[in-house]
Amino acid sequence: MSCMLSSALRSLPLSSAWAAGGLARSLSCSSQFQAAAQPKTKKTLGKTGVKNVVVVEGVRIPFLQSGTSYADLMPHDLARAALQGLLTRTSVPRDAVDYIVYGTVIQEVKTSNVAREAALGAGFSDKTPAHTVTMACISSNQAMTTAVGMIAAGQCDVVVAGGVELMSDVPIRHSRKMRKTMLTLNRAKTLGQKLSLISKIRPDYFAPELPAVAEFSTSETMGHSADRLAAAFGISRLEQDEYALRSHTLAKKAQEEGLLQDVVPFKVPGKDTVTKDNGIRPSSMEQMGKLKPAFVKPYGTVTAANSSFLTDGASAILIMSEEKALAMGYKPKAYLRDFVYVSQDPKDQLLLGPTYATPKVLEKAGLTLSDIDVFEFHEAFAGQILANLKAMDSDWFAQNYMGRKSKVGAPPLDKFNTWGGSLSLGHPFGATGCRLVITAAHRLKKEGGQYGLVAACAAGGQGHAMIVELYPQ
């Protein structure tokens, strides 16, 4: 497929001028929106006989590079802090919450149901059920849509969804040989049996099994997939670096202007209070150009500078039925409307989830790309996000790989991730989805739009997209 895409899509150049022009447009769009933001009067997506599900509030503790201030904590500590931040901001009574669901990817063995442990730690009643879901980088997306389903089905009125990831301390196992020996040793009844088993242990048994951010089915890391995807779509190193610089520059601007309203402070035990993301670092094209390829060496184009970094963080979002929210005196931020999940080839199309999910969710909602006022897409790698934009704007790809008659089109950059994205803000695998949704809601209010589209890719060749509708102001 890579060779086919390379030859077929060379005619769709994503030039440096295009990327640089997008950067300039995006940097200027915030002030334009602030000066001329006017609420739009489009139709609502509410459906007769279907409960309206709303976002009341969403928060996250600062997203930090792994190995920094959160390094000595456990995942449930981060999730607990996000839950406490949500409680503080909303003053929602703990006993009013019917259910808690969290997403995570790399589970801590001691707290496999991190949702439950975090909830108990945050002071929720032991009578409040909680469970944990995992769906790679769309784990908290799955947590949110699980909440939507529970409310729509009439099972709950108030659900807290969220996500957490702690890449600073991931489980490292003994080798399988050692694990089998230790388990057998545990069952041995006599000293002779135990000594016999111990005598079979060899030096190579002690070699640890380190976790790898790789596909089980292909043994390929996401970075390798991003590199091949960029090559297939003819996306240069220069274009990827320009996009990464755009992300960091916009994130820094949003941070300085106080637009990242979802961030809540977290007093780290034994350390100072963390108040902001620490991975936002606008560099220069010259400095970024000095970095060597991180995955496909020596000719790859994906580097540490144009990739999302290993991140620690947690998020939490309060989701209710509209009736319950109003009865409790809340002014919701947004409706959660139609959503879809997609799945495709986990090798050549691992990171193309947004391309497949976007047209499906638009059709399901009865909208077109031009109806969307803000786009919040997960940026795993600059090459991945640019490949998705290129695929979405290709009739050839739509016809040959998606079974569609024509392309859906690429989102305009002046509406796309204008407050930064995962490349700059960070990407705690299980927590990113909630950040995307609440950012879309905040941007809709700030910029005067009505519909937002959130989309993300995930390991395993899966993806998610959701329509967020601004609550009437």
Side-chain angles (χ1 to χ4, degrees):
M1 173 184 168
S2 295
C3 294
M4 294 171 60
L5 288 177
S6 295
S7 59
L9 296 178
R10 293 290 180 184
S11 60
L12 298 171
L14 190 64
S15 67
S16 299
W18 178 88
L23 172 59
R25 289 193 301 274
S26 297
L27 289 177
S28 64
C29 71
S30 295
S31 59
Q32 293 171 2
F33 276 130
Q34 291 172 22
Q38 296 293 330
K40 300 184 179 181
T41 55
K42 299 174 183 176
K43 65 177 181 179
T44 181
L45 298 181
K47 300 175 183 177
T48 303
V50 178
K51 277 190 176 184
N52 284 325
V53 179
V54 298
V55 171
V56 171
E57 184 60 272
V59 303
R60 61 183 178 91
I61 59 173
F63 287 177
L64 303 186
Q65 293 180 323
S66 63
T68 56
S69 295
Y70 299 156
D72 296 329
L73 302 180
M74 292 179 66
H76 75 286
D77 293 319
L78 306 190
R80 178 183 66 228
L83 288 172
Q84 290 172 331
L86 185 67
L87 290 168
T88 298
R89 180 165 293 186
T90 63
S91 298
V92 63
R94 287 175 173 82
D95 59 5
V97 176
D98 300 314
Y99 207 97
I100 297 171
V101 55
Y102 252 72
T104 196
V105 178
I106 301 179
Q107 295 187 350
E108 163 62 50
V109 177
K110 293 181 178 179
T111 57
S112 58
N113 186 3
V114 70
R116 177 64 168 171
E117 304 305 332
L120 293 174
F124 285 92
S125 167
D126 57 10
K127 303 296 189 294
T128 304
H131 80 272
T132 302
V133 297
T134 187
M135 201 174 181
C137 298
I138 52 176
S139 293
S140 65
N141 306 64
Q142 182 59 252
M144 287 185 289
T145 57
T146 297
V148 171
M150 296 175 80
I151 293 171
Q155 298 300 308
C156 300
D157 282 317
V158 182
V159 180
V160 172
V164 62
E165 213 70 49
L166 182 68
M167 297 304 296
S168 290
D169 182 30
V170 295
I172 298 175
R173 304 194 299 179
H174 281 291
S175 68
R176 190 177 187 88
K177 291 179 180 178
M178 178 60 88
R179 297 201 306 272
K180 291 177 67 175
T181 300
M182 294 173 71
L183 290 171
T184 304
L185 185 64
N186 191 50
R187 295 192 296 268
K189 296 181 179 180
T190 67
L191 178 61
Q193 290 174 333
K194 293 179 180 180
L195 292 174
S196 176
L197 286 168
I198 293 173
S199 69
K200 295 178 181 179
I201 296 176
R202 298 292 178 264
D204 65 314
Y205 281 32
F206 293 95
E209 286 186 1
L210 301 176
V213 185
E215 294 296 300
F216 180 79
S217 59
T218 65
S219 298
E220 187 174 74
T221 68
M222 286 184 287
H224 280 88
S225 295
D227 230 325
R228 289 194 302 102
L229 194 64
F233 281 86
I235 298 167
S236 70
R237 163 76 177 270
L238 179 63
E239 290 161 343
Q240 294 175 61
D241 286 351
E242 284 177 334
Y243 184 86
L245 179 58
R246 172 189 187 268
S247 182
H248 280 273
T249 303
L250 292 173
K252 185 66 173 178
K253 186 172 185 289
Q255 188 180 65
E256 291 176 345
E257 294 181 357
L259 299 178
L260 306 181
Q261 305 166 49
D262 55 333
V263 178
V264 293
F266 175 27
K267 175 62 175 72
V268 180
K271 298 183 180 179
D272 294 335
T273 298
V274 179
T275 60
K276 62 183 181 179
D277 308 318
N278 71 358
I280 304 174
R281 297 179 179 179
S283 183
S284 68
M285 292 297 295
E286 181 182 7
Q287 290 297 319
M288 295 170 73
K290 294 179 181 179
L291 296 183
K292 295 182 179 180
F295 300 98
V296 179
K297 304 174 182 179
Y299 303 113
T301 57
V302 175
T303 71
N306 57 41
S307 307
S308 57
F309 48 87
L310 293 179
T311 315
D312 301 334
S315 55
I317 193 166
L318 181 58
I319 301 174
M320 296 186 181
S321 65
E322 182 181 21
E323 297 84 355
K324 184 68 171 181
L326 296 178
M328 293 183 68
Y330 289 110
K331 178 65 179 293
K333 290 182 179 293
Y335 294 107
L336 296 182
R337 297 302 195 187
D338 292 287
F339 62 88
V340 298
Y341 287 93
V342 295
S343 186
Q344 59 279 341
D345 174 14
K347 184 174 177 63
D348 288 322
Q349 301 187 42
L350 175 70
L351 303 172
L352 288 179
T355 296
Y356 284 86
T358 295
K360 288 188 175 183
V361 80
L362 288 173
E363 290 169 359
K364 191 173 183 181
L367 300 175
T368 65
L369 199 72
S370 62
D371 291 318
I372 304 301
D373 302 296
V374 304
F375 295 86
E376 283 293 325
F377 278 32
H378 165 44
E379 303 167 348
F381 304 88
Q384 163 262 328
I385 203 70
L386 294 176
N388 273 274
L389 296 182
K390 214 167 192 181
M392 292 170 68
D393 207 30
S394 168
D395 284 320
W396 182 89
F397 189 87
Q399 293 163 5
N400 287 274
Y401 284 93
M402 300 176 66
R404 301 177 58 82
K405 293 181 179 180
S406 61
K407 64 187 180 183
V408 66
L413 277 190
D414 60 1
K415 297 180 179 180
F416 191 85
N417 290 11
T418 58
W419 293 359
S422 304
L423 291 172
S424 50
L425 299 172
H427 173 40
F429 299 149
T432 290
C434 290
R435 179 191 67 77
L436 296 173
V437 166
I438 197 63
T439 299
H442 286 158
R443 282 185 57 202
L444 286 171
K445 182 177 181 180
K446 181 74 173 177
E447 300 170 2
Q450 183 169 348
Y451 300 134
L453 195 157
V454 170
C457 62
Q462 302 188 101
H464 171 259
M466 174 186 280
I467 301 295
V468 178
E469 181 182 345
L470 181 69
Y471 198 80
Q473 300 302 296

